[in-house]
């Protein structure tokens, strides 16, 4: 019997929550359990048996899920029995997982000045005054996070006059306050002096120093310009990082999370994680993405010798993806642009409320391509932050040039995918490359008061376009809602409309079976002090298969291939760039392609073509509007195609001769012996192919 670890979580009496990765077991050993929970509302995530009332745990493993009658033999004299008082008022559910977290930052912020929700510079200054009074050392930094200029009246970044007010509040302490999205920061004059920032300081690549009309800095730094201050901040020691991770992980575990994806951690944090894992002090699973391993200056010089030398050292420095207990490192996080709220998101056309500004590119697109190539070779999963449509386009282009394709199943990600072009949607570029869009729909209502000002009435239609992304053929969609009530939602998303957001998500889920039945949807709750009391209700609101099940795979627990069809025989074909012609002596063409022997691709009009890299009526294999699938699968056109690949005569087949997708992926090619064995073992009923090979 397979067993998966579980993690209990304490909660107020009468509302006990128990978070675990559930695995149903039809039977259990007669050995008494350590814990039995009865008369509970158990969400199993098993479609055949979605609910239960009783769970038994032994040695921190779930050994029984069912009803009270079946658990009686597992109750011994030392078994702790917890029973609901009725109705039931306890909920047990699989562990919640956050696919985009920052545990180090969370742990640090819990000890920093919290500026979330403050409505003005005056309120921020008052908070800084109080924090400065608590610092005994005059030169000690006051560090805070959470301010948002969109809450100010007027909604502008702090100016030079407000910098003077911050200086007065800080009582001589250097001050560094990061914006709520982490893509801008505000420094007082003491911090600017320590960083060497003055009137003559030049903007850095991928960053901007905001200035007044005379050229004097206002203290506000955008994206890469923040590095100028952050490099003079006191760096946490290994022990301090461990303490921050313990603080952050303890915070989320106490609120029901059992696994997170920690995005963009440095080598010191990686070492701290591994120490905690080895010592048994890590209370949850962490799937980590390392921060960009290439120094920022070299990112802008991707074709230099120094860059190549750095890339050569990465394999030795990072090593292969590995797992140390509950800690797994197999991803890399990159940034291409900033955020929409701070006007750092990279747009194809200028901001409507800032006509001289198209946003920022924090790194070179060529760097994204080269890192993608490196990641494919070394087995790392790449996640690239891209919010603006220009950034999304550039990331997709970089992935495509690197050889990313749906067939490789690299599961590369684009974090946020907030503003997209019509071409990305109409040409179904995300699906054709097999790229995961990690999106946060709550940004739509939270950004609503100012998003149209940023983008204008036309472009806003392609922002937060989750219905369009759904129709575009995505395989994965992550939805973060963050609340289960209007009251909690308003505290976190000022100006947002909770009921409208919920209705939109419900409508999306209704359309999914009709428009994209293979789409895997995850509805997530990002735990905070505002919503921690709503976890159970949140889990009950959404369908079982949406809340938890697919997120388990993203934490590295289940192979996604087990959730998807073994064949794309009934799939669709989506437009790609016209492929380049490859020489016939390319190594990848020396063995037959597997696709004609195991898959079919169907175009929108029912026409059948050899593979998903074909999007025109060329090399047609059949037409399902007038033929059965059996007739196409065993028809003369596909037999001829198999013969050509068997005899390595692909030069006569235009789509194969010019293949730029599968022909570049050695895993799509097999030996003739392997093909013969595959055909002998093929179990397809009426679709069993006659090989046509002689």
């Amino acid at each position: 019997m397979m067993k998966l670890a579980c993690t209990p979580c304490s909660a107020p009496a009468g509302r006990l929550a128990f978070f675990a990765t559930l695995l149903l077991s039809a039977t259990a050993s007669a050995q008494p359990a350590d814990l039995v929970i009865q008369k509970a509302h158990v969400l199993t995530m098993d479609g055949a048996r979605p609910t239960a009332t009783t769970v038994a745990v032994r040695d921190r493993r779930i050994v029984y899920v069912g009803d009270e009658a079946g658990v009686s033999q597992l109750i011994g004299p030392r078994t702790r029995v917890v029973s609901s008082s009725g109705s039931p008022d306890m909920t047990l559910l699989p562990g919640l997982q956050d696919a985009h977290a920052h545990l180090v930052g969370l742990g640090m912020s819990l000890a920093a000045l919290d500026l979330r929700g403050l409505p003005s510079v005056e309120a921020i200054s008052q908070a800084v005054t109080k924090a400065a009074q608590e610092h005994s050392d005059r030169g000690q930094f006051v560090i805070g996070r959470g301010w948002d200029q969109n809450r100010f009246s007027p909604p502008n970044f702090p100016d030079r006059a407000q910098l003077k007010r911050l200086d007065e509040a800080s009582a001589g302490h250097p001050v560094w306050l990061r914006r709520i999205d982490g893509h801008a920061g505000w420094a007082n004059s003491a911090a600017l002096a320590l960083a060497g920032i003055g009137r003559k300081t030049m903007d850095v690549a991928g960053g901007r120093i905001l200035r007044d009309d005379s050229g004097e800095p206002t203290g506000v730094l955008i994206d890469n310009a923040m590095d100028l201050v952050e490099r003079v901040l006191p760096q946490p020691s290994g022990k301090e990082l461990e303490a921050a991770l313990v603080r952050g992980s303890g915070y989320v575990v106490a609120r029901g999370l059992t696994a997170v994806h920690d995005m963009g951690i440095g080598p010191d944090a990686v070492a701290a994680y591994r120490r905690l894992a080895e010592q048994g002090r890590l209370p949850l699973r962490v799937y980590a993405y390392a921060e960009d391993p290439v120094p920022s200056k070299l990112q802008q010089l991707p074709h230099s010798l120094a860059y190549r030398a750095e890339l050569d050292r990465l394999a030795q420095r990072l090593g292969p993806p590995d797992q140390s207990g509950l800690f797994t490192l197999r991803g890399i996080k990159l940034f291409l642009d900033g955020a929409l709220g701070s006007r750092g998101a990279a747009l194809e056309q200028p901001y409507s409320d800032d006509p001289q500004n198209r946003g920022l590119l924090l790194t070179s697109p060529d760097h994204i391509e080269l890192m993608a190539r490196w990641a494919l070779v070394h087995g790392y999963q790449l996640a690239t932050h891209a919010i603006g449509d220009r950034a999304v386009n550039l990331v997709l282009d970089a992935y495509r040039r690197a050889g990313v394709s749906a067939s490789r199943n690299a599961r590369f990600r684009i974090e946020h995918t907030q503003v997209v072009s019509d071409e990305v949607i109409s040409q179904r570029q995300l699906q054709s490359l097999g790229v995961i869009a990690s999106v946060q729909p709550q940004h739509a209502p939270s950004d609503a008061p100012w998003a149209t000002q940023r983008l204008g009435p036309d472009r806003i239609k392609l922002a937060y376009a989750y219905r369009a992304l759904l129709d575009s053929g995505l395989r994965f969609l992550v939805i973060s809602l963050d609340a289960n009530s209007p009251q909690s939602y308003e505290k976190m998303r000022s100006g947002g409309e909770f009921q409208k957001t919920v209705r939109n998500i419900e409508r999306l889920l209704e359309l999914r079976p009709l428009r994209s039945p293979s789409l895997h949807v995850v509805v997530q709750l990002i735990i905070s002090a505002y919503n921690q009391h709503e976890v159970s209700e949140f889990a009950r609101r959404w369908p079982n298969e949406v809340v938890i099940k697919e997120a388990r795979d993203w934490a590295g627990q289940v192979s996604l291939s087990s959730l998807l069809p073994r064949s794309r025989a009934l799939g669709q074909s989506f437009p790609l760039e016209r492929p380049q012609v490859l020489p016939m002596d390319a190594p990848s063409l020396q063995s037959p392609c597997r696709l004609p022997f195991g898959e079919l691709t169907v175009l929108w009009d029912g026409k059948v073509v050899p593979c998903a890299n074909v999007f025109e009526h060329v090399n047609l294999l059949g037409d399902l509007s007038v033929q059965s699938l059996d007739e196409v699968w065993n028809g003369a056109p596909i037999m001829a195609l198999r013969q050509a690949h068997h005899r390595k005569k692909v030069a006569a087949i235009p789509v194969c001769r010019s293949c730029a997708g599968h022909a570049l992926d050695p895993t799509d090619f097999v030996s003739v012996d392997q093909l013969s064995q595959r055909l002998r073992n093929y179990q397809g009923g009426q679709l069993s192919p006659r090989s046509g090979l002689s």
Side-chain angles (χ1 to χ4, degrees):
M1 176 179 61
M2 295 180 61
K3 300 176 181 179
L4 297 176
C6 63
T7 303
C9 170
S10 61
R15 292 182 62 121
L16 176 68
F18 189 100
F19 302 90
T21 302
L22 293 182
L23 184 68
L24 292 184
S25 176
T27 61
S29 168
Q31 182 181 351
D34 301 321
L35 172 68
V36 171
I37 301 176
Q38 301 181 122
K39 299 180 180 179
H41 179 59
V42 182
L43 304 175
T44 68
M45 307 303 154
D46 183 348
R49 206 165 36 151
T51 62
T53 62
T54 304
V55 169
V57 179
R58 183 193 308 121
D59 297 330
R60 299 179 60 83
R61 310 278 182 173
I62 294 176
V63 296
Y64 175 83
V65 178
D67 57 24
E68 295 173 40
V71 81
S72 59
Q73 61 178 333
L74 298 178
I75 299 177
R78 297 185 178 181
T79 301
R80 180 191 175 197
V81 179
V82 178
S83 182
S84 170
S85 59
S87 278
D89 60 359
M90 292 189 297
T91 297
L92 282 73
L93 65 156
L96 299 178
Q97 304 186 28
D98 187 343
H100 191 118
H102 301 278
L103 278 191
V104 176
L106 173 62
M108 293 293 187
S109 67
L110 291 173
L113 182 60
D114 186 0
L115 305 175
R116 291 174 298 173
L118 296 186
S120 65
V121 168
E122 182 61 31
I124 292 172
S125 298
Q126 292 174 3
V128 169
T129 296
K130 182 178 180 180
Q133 292 172 350
E134 298 172 354
H135 287 57
S136 57
D137 184 355
R138 186 176 178 84
Q140 186 178 0
F141 262 92
V142 174
I143 297 175
R145 179 164 179 168
W147 63 271
D148 182 359
Q149 85 281 1
N150 293 302
R151 292 180 173 271
F152 303 166
S153 183
N156 299 326
F157 281 119
D159 57 23
R160 187 75 179 173
Q162 292 167 325
L163 174 62
K164 294 180 180 179
R165 176 67 185 93
L166 183 63
D167 290 342
E168 295 170 357
S170 60
H173 291 277
V175 176
W176 178 237
L177 310 174
R178 296 194 70 159
R179 192 179 180 275
I180 189 168
D181 59 9
H183 286 270
W186 189 25
N188 72 344
S189 295
L192 291 175
L194 287 172
I197 300 174
R199 182 178 182 136
K200 296 182 179 180
T201 305
M202 301 290 291
D203 285 344
V204 300
R208 186 179 298 123
I209 302 172
L210 299 194
R211 309 170 192 269
D212 64 11
D213 293 339
S214 66
E216 293 290 342
T218 65
V220 177
L221 309 175
I222 308 296
D223 287 310
N224 285 354
M226 296 188 296
D227 295 341
L228 299 174
V229 170
E230 296 196 338
R231 69 189 180 190
V232 301
L233 294 177
Q235 298 302 305
S237 66
K239 292 294 184 182
E240 289 172 329
L241 282 173
E242 289 182 23
L245 287 173
V246 169
R247 204 160 43 241
S249 60
Y251 183 91
V252 300
V253 166
R255 288 155 178 82
L257 292 182
T258 61
V260 300
H261 290 191
D262 201 342
M263 307 298 292
I265 63 174
D268 292 341
V270 171
Y273 261 129
R274 286 173 172 156
R275 287 194 298 271
L276 292 176
E278 291 169 359
Q279 297 166 11
R281 298 170 60 198
L282 195 59
L284 78 172
R285 296 187 184 276
V286 177
Y287 186 92
Y289 291 74
E291 67 181 8
D292 194 326
V294 177
S296 57
K297 291 184 178 180
L298 288 180
Q299 293 173 22
Q300 305 294 335
L301 303 169
H303 301 292
S304 66
L305 293 177
Y307 181 96
R308 296 290 181 175
E310 183 68 24
L311 212 60
D312 291 340
R313 288 191 290 267
L314 288 188
Q316 182 177 2
R317 183 149 55 88
L318 290 179
D322 73 292
Q323 181 172 356
S324 303
L326 296 178
F327 177 72
T328 300
L329 177 67
R330 62 169 303 172
I332 297 175
K333 172 70 180 300
L334 307 180
F335 283 88
L336 187 56
D337 70 343
L340 196 65
S342 52
R343 298 186 183 87
L347 304 178
E348 292 289 358
Q349 301 299 323
Y351 281 84
S352 295
D353 57 355
D354 189 2
Q356 305 304 313
N357 181 19
R358 293 174 62 207
L360 296 168
L361 293 180
L362 307 192
T363 190
S364 164
D366 288 347
H367 170 60
I368 304 294
E369 176 190 347
L370 294 174
M371 283 302 304
R373 292 181 183 274
W374 187 94
L376 287 172
V377 171
H378 293 89
Y380 277 85
Q381 182 186 24
L382 213 60
T384 305
H385 169 111
I387 287 181
D389 54 351
R390 179 159 61 112
V392 172
N393 290 341
L394 290 172
V395 172
L396 289 172
D397 287 342
Y399 284 175
R400 186 181 296 109
R401 293 195 306 270
V404 176
S405 65
S407 65
R408 303 188 75 153
N409 197 30
R411 298 167 53 233
F412 281 15
R413 297 164 52 153
I414 297 181
E415 303 300 307
H416 310 305
T417 326
Q418 195 162 298
V419 185
V420 296
S421 65
D422 183 66
E423 290 75 17
V424 168
I425 294 173
S426 63
Q427 297 178 14
R428 307 191 176 198
Q429 295 181 16
L430 288 159
Q431 187 189 21
S432 68
L433 296 179
V435 173
I436 298 169
S438 178
V439 302
Q440 295 75 39
Q442 77 270 16
H443 289 172
S446 68
D447 298 354
W450 48 264
T452 301
Q453 299 173 21
R454 298 284 193 276
L455 300 172
D458 295 326
R459 283 186 296 174
I460 195 66
K461 298 175 183 178
L462 291 174
Y464 321 97
Y466 307 123
R467 166 72 176 271
L469 289 174
L470 177 64
D471 291 346
S472 73
L474 281 178
R475 294 286 182 92
F476 311 95
L477 187 64
V478 184
I479 299 174
S480 297
L481 182 57
D482 286 354
N484 197 63
S485 67
Q487 295 77 18
S488 299
Y489 194 83
E490 175 61 24
K491 292 178 181 178
M492 304 180 68
R493 304 291 170 188
S494 179
E497 299 184 45
F498 175 76
Q499 296 296 350
K500 182 181 290 187
T501 302
V502 169
R503 286 197 300 271
N504 285 338
I505 296 175
E506 290 173 341
R507 180 59 175 158
L508 183 148
L509 296 175
E510 291 173 2
L511 292 170
R512 181 183 56 156
L514 300 175
R515 294 179 174 269
S516 189
S518 64
L519 178 70
H520 296 276
V521 179
V522 182
V523 180
Q524 294 188 134
L525 179 72
I526 308 300
I527 308 292
S528 74
Y530 299 121
N531 61 25
Q532 60 186 13
H533 61 288
E534 298 178 340
V535 172
S536 295
E537 291 83 353
F538 182 90
R540 290 185 178 129
R541 175 187 289 273
W542 303 105
N544 293 347
E545 72 273 17
V546 174
V547 178
I548 299 297
K549 188 172 182 180
E550 303 305 331
R552 287 172 51 198
D553 173 74
W554 292 6
Q557 305 306 304
V558 179
S559 171
L560 191 63
S561 62
S562 66
L563 305 175
L564 299 175
R566 293 295 182 183
S567 170
R568 295 199 306 270
L570 294 178
Q572 291 182 321
S573 174
F574 307 115
L576 293 171
E577 287 185 348
R578 186 170 298 276
Q580 61 183 350
V581 177
L582 298 175
M584 284 307 301
D585 59 353
S588 57
L589 297 178
Q590 300 308 305
S591 297
C593 177
R594 64 174 173 81
L595 296 182
F597 303 87
E599 299 182 10
L600 294 175
T601 296
V602 184
L603 300 176
W604 65 273
D605 56 358
K607 300 294 193 296
V608 183
V609 292
C611 74
N613 278 357
V614 182
F615 54 93
E616 299 175 318
H617 290 172
V618 294
N619 287 116
L620 289 179
L621 303 180
D623 186 349
L624 292 184
S625 64
V626 295
Q627 294 175 280
S628 69
L629 187 57
D630 180 66
E631 290 173 331
V632 175
W633 184 247
N634 293 297
I638 197 170
M639 294 298 180
L641 185 65
R642 291 169 183 155
Q643 282 276 11
H645 276 271
H646 175 67
R647 296 173 178 174
K648 303 178 185 178
K649 302 289 186 182
V650 297
I653 308 171
V655 296
C656 300
R657 182 177 65 247
S658 60
C659 179
H662 296 298
L664 297 179
D665 186 354
T667 63
D668 277 337
F669 293 84
V670 296
S671 69
V672 173
D673 290 341
Q674 290 174 316
L675 276 182
S676 300
Q677 185 63 44
R678 181 173 296 181
L679 291 169
R680 286 194 294 270
N681 296 337
Y682 192 90
Q683 301 292 325
Q686 289 186 332
L687 296 181
S688 296
R690 299 182 292 272
S691 72
L693 304 182
S694 59

